[in-house]
Amino acid sequence: MGALLAGCASQSNSVYHQLGGNEKVEQIVENFVVEIERDPVILAYFEGADINRFVEKLSEQICSRTGGPCSYTGDTMAQVHGGMNITEADFNRTVDLLINAMNKADVPHRLQNKVLRALAPTRDEMLYL
Ligand code: HEM
């Protein structure tokens, strides 16, 4: 019981909790897919990708990296993106799409920055591998 309460206390400060939990993460990810579909440069990378799996795994990843109660069950960022030859410009372009997705989900800018900070370590796992 004590451990359970402690777990709840730490989660209530998490970026995940500040976002509003799973519902908001799903909104962000759904908006992100729409943004990707509208961007021919980034969409090209997704040819042949399984979008349902992408939605599920990316939601898990955002949840777990922002301190939410999820475990990430997908492949590592290096395994997934390593062979794609993602340029720094295209990485930044994708981050812009994520920002658009968060704007459309009414995520306040300060909170957007916290989400981006939580995902930032993935950058070095996928560029120039
Ligand atoms: C902002 C940082 C990023 C994060 C956190 C991220 C996260 C993910 C995750 C969790 C998956 C699913 C992994 C799995 O299926 O096991 C995925 C798949 C994918 N990502 Fe990313 N990604 C990022 C940036 C990018 C960029 C910059 C590109 C390309 C420009 C990209 C292209 C893809 C593609 C094409 C797939 C689908 C692969 C497939 O199903 O064959 N991602 N990403």
Side-chain angles (χ1 to χ4, degrees):
M1 185 63 180
L4 202 69
L5 284 175
C8 289
S10 71
Q11 272 178 27
S12 68
N13 295 328
S14 68
V15 174
Y16 177 82
H17 183 85
Q18 291 171 50
L19 278 169
N22 190 50
E23 202 179 317
K24 187 62 79 175
V25 171
E26 279 186 357
Q27 249 183 60
I28 293 168
V29 172
E30 278 167 22
N31 291 352
F32 187 45
V33 168
V34 172
E35 295 296 315
I36 290 169
E37 283 169 347
R38 283 188 187 146
D39 185 323
V41 173
I42 301 306
L43 184 60
Y45 285 91
F46 283 82
E47 202 179 317
D50 178 344
I51 290 298
N52 290 332
R53 180 183 160 103
F54 174 71
V55 165
E56 182 191 322
K57 302 304 179 194
L58 182 60
S59 301
E60 278 179 9
Q61 169 125 159
I62 293 176
C63 170
S64 77
R65 288 201 191 240
T66 56
C70 319
S71 312
Y72 177 61
T73 63
D75 299 323
T76 67
M77 292 298 92
Q79 281 168 343
V80 177
H81 306 91
M84 291 184 194
N85 296 315
I86 299 171
T87 61
E88 188 151 25
D90 285 351
F91 183 88
N92 293 341
R93 193 175 173 119
T94 306
V95 171
D96 283 342
L97 298 182
L98 183 59
I99 292 170
N100 292 345
M102 290 195 284
N103 278 330
K104 289 177 182 170
D106 296 319
V107 178
H109 285 136
R110 270 192 63 241
L111 200 46
Q112 291 190 19
N113 288 336
K114 293 183 185 179
V115 173
L116 294 174
R117 218 174 297 145
L119 295 178
T122 63
R123 180 183 179 284
D124 291 337
E125 298 168 32
M126 64 181 76
L127 290 186
Y128 313 123
L129 293 172

